[in-house]
Amino acid sequence: MRALPRTLTSAAGVLALTAAALVVGTAGTAQAATCSQSYLPLPDPSCTPGAYNPDVTQSTIGSTICVSGWTTTVRPPTSYTNPLKAQGIIDYGYSDTSMADYEEDHLVPLELGGAPRDPGNLWPEPHYGTKTAYTKDGVEAKLKNAVCAGTITLSAARSAIRTNWTTALQVTGIG
């Protein structure tokens, strides 16, 4: 399930999808969860611990994250992320199962060298609530700008956002 890598190529993946179909009730709402919503607006750390792209280091930021448009070169297509989002909605037990109400978000954002395709770095982040996927986008941009300006290190930004994106600006001294 969610704590394990979410791939659809193994027998375990097929069994997980079969089981997921069984936990969805006739009204279309999830009935069971393997990941906790109690951490919201953060992901459950046992399901989504975050992961880094090994190609992005402090010494490579000038040719990776600090280059305009670089994230588009590593961003996975929705054909990859949508199945993860659908499974994540079930894994988190969200009663709202509308795909449009969530962003399959990178806990460690691509803008800070998060692993693009690692399921442990992706989770269905709600578009609703007081702190949403849209709120996190602003935090990500400010941290990336600070890293590229040399105000903070890549390591400090990654650690802060991975630990708690809602306090990352304060922890790093940016906001």
Side-chain angles (χ1 to χ4, degrees), residues 47-104:
C47 296
T48 312
Y52 303 142
N53 180 342
D55 296 333
V56 180
T57 64
Q58 189 68 45
S59 64
T60 65
I61 61 172
S63 60
T64 57
I65 66 169
C66 296
V67 174
S68 180
W70 179 81
T71 58
T72 61
T73 68
V74 296
R75 185 173 308 282
T78 55
S79 61
Y80 176 78
T81 59
N82 275 349
L84 290 176
K85 185 189 331 186
Q87 183 62 49
I89 290 169
I90 293 167
D91 291 346
Y92 273 88
Y94 292 132
S95 59
D96 173 2
T97 59
S98 172
M99 295 273 284
D101 291 339
Y102 303 90
E103 176 179 320
E104 187 68 1

Side-chain angles (χ1 to χ4, degrees), residues 43-168:
D44 180 333
S46 68
C47 296
T48 312
Y52 303 142
N53 180 342
D55 296 333
V56 180
T57 64
Q58 189 68 45
S59 64
T60 65
I61 61 172
S63 60
T64 57
I65 66 169
C66 296
V67 174
S68 180
W70 179 81
T71 58
T72 61
T73 68
V74 296
R75 185 173 308 282
T78 55
S79 61
Y80 176 78
T81 59
N82 275 349
L84 290 176
K85 185 189 331 186
Q87 183 62 49
I89 290 169
I90 293 167
D91 291 346
Y92 273 88
Y94 292 132
S95 59
D96 173 2
T97 59
S98 172
M99 295 273 284
D101 291 339
Y102 303 90
E103 176 179 320
E104 187 68 1
D105 199 25
H106 293 88
L107 175 59
V108 179
L110 299 179
E111 292 85 345
L112 294 175
R117 290 179 172 259
D118 187 326
N121 196 40
L122 288 156
W123 72 295
E125 186 174 18
H127 285 153
Y128 51 83
T130 57
K131 294 185 179 183
T132 68
Y134 304 120
T135 310
K136 184 173 177 277
D137 290 344
V139 172
E140 295 168 1
K142 288 178 181 178
L143 289 172
K144 182 202 130 180
N145 290 340
V147 168
C148 293
T151 307
I152 61 172
T153 65
L154 176 63
S155 177
R158 283 175 161 178
S159 177
I161 204 160
R162 186 177 187 178
T163 301
N164 185 338
W165 70 262
T166 67
T167 61

Side-chain angles (χ1 to χ4, degrees), residues 23-31 95-98:
V23 298
V24 175
T26 57
T29 58
Q31 303 298 316
S95 59
D96 173 2
T97 59
S98 172

